[in-house]
Amino acid sequence: MAQQELFIKNMVCDRCIWVVRTELERLGYSVAQVELGRVVISSPAVDITLVRPMLEGHGFALLTDKTTRVVNQVKTLIIDLIQSGRIAELRTTLSDYLSENVGLDYAHLSHLFSSTENLTIEKFWIMQRVERAKELLSYDEMPISDIAKQLGYSSVAYLTNQFKQITGLTPATYRNQNTADRNPLDWI
């Protein structure tokens, strides 16, 4: 039997991967691979009428449209890059990274993303980095300079500027207010 690929929206963490794998296996599917936004099932043939409601019950969505799948792939790559802390290791531009991993020209990716999300890839990138900064600031375990490095900012001033544009606060003020106004990653 041929393998089937499913593309799933709102998978943003390792826990999401675990939930999708566990639930698909509970439904009787042999899951060959699960990664953020994508599942490969080796058997039996996928019954969408069973899978779709299970996914939706956990806050996920099955993606069937090619444009939506590409946009979700871009989002997943960005979220994974930020959450994994690999930004500092990135030796290329974000546009080249996305183009290489999605297999499409960045201008085309940018157009698809903007027309679907009403938001540029760059704005999404900034918003995701700020959300991660808010998370790290709320733990109060790292100096702001280390957070800036981990998130790929060239300086604390650059992080502070973008953080303030999005939140209206500096990172230090945000940390001191001990506020919990974080947004779920799949809401951005």
Side-chain angles (χ1 to χ4, degrees), residues 26-95:
R26 189 183 59 75
L27 290 173
Y29 295 105
S30 177
V31 179
Q33 181 181 2
V34 182
E35 57 191 44
L36 293 178
R38 182 176 162 270
V39 176
V40 178
I41 296 177
S42 52
S43 66
V46 176
D47 181 350
I48 298 301
T49 62
L50 292 175
V51 172
R52 187 182 307 273
M54 176 277 295
L55 291 171
E56 290 172 356
H58 290 286
F60 304 115
L62 193 59
L63 301 173
T64 54
D65 173 72
K66 182 171 174 48
T67 298
T68 307
R69 286 196 322 240
V70 168
V71 168
N72 190 66
Q73 188 176 5
V74 169
K75 286 179 163 184
T76 300
L77 286 166
I78 289 172
I79 290 169
D80 184 51
L81 191 61
I82 292 167
Q83 293 295 318
S84 68
R86 294 186 338 238
I87 298 171
E89 301 166 14
L90 193 63
R91 301 291 175 237
T92 185
T93 63
L94 177 64
S95 57

Side-chain angles (χ1 to χ4, degrees), residues 4-179:
Q4 292 177 275
E5 256 185 329
L6 300 178
F7 296 91
I8 302 171
K9 183 177 180 179
N10 298 334
M11 290 180 70
V12 297
C13 64
D14 290 340
R15 191 171 313 126
C16 296
I17 290 171
W18 180 83
V19 167
V20 169
R21 176 182 292 280
T22 301
E23 290 297 316
L24 287 171
E25 288 173 348
R26 189 183 59 75
L27 290 173
Y29 295 105
S30 177
V31 179
Q33 181 181 2
V34 182
E35 57 191 44
L36 293 178
R38 182 176 162 270
V39 176
V40 178
I41 296 177
S42 52
S43 66
V46 176
D47 181 350
I48 298 301
T49 62
L50 292 175
V51 172
R52 187 182 307 273
M54 176 277 295
L55 291 171
E56 290 172 356
H58 290 286
F60 304 115
L62 193 59
L63 301 173
T64 54
D65 173 72
K66 182 171 174 48
T67 298
T68 307
R69 286 196 322 240
V70 168
V71 168
N72 190 66
Q73 188 176 5
V74 169
K75 286 179 163 184
T76 300
L77 286 166
I78 289 172
I79 290 169
D80 184 51
L81 191 61
I82 292 167
Q83 293 295 318
S84 68
R86 294 186 338 238
I87 298 171
E89 301 166 14
L90 193 63
R91 301 291 175 237
T92 185
T93 63
L94 177 64
S95 57
D96 287 344
Y97 174 79
L98 294 173
S99 293
E100 290 169 17
N101 283 280
V102 176
L104 294 172
D105 177 67
Y106 184 76
H108 183 64
L109 285 178
S110 181
H111 172 73
L112 287 176
F113 195 94
S114 296
S115 63
T116 304
E117 297 296 311
N118 296 319
L119 179 74
T120 65
I121 291 174
E122 180 67 22
K123 185 71 172 177
F124 181 79
W125 169 251
I126 292 167
M127 292 169 68
Q128 288 293 331
R129 285 169 56 182
V130 167
E131 282 305 314
R132 179 66 174 157
K134 287 162 70 175
E135 178 183 4
L136 295 172
L137 288 165
S138 68
Y139 298 153
D140 200 18
E141 295 175 352
M142 296 171 69
I144 294 172
S145 60
D146 289 353
I147 292 171
K149 283 180 199 168
Q150 182 176 331
L151 295 176
Y153 286 99
S154 56
S155 68
V156 172
Y158 188 24
L159 165 63
T160 300
N161 184 19
Q162 284 192 342
F163 195 93
K164 192 168 184 175
Q165 285 178 353
I166 300 294
T167 67
L169 303 169
T170 66
T173 303
Y174 180 88
R175 175 178 270 167
N176 292 336
Q177 284 185 348
N178 203 9
T179 182

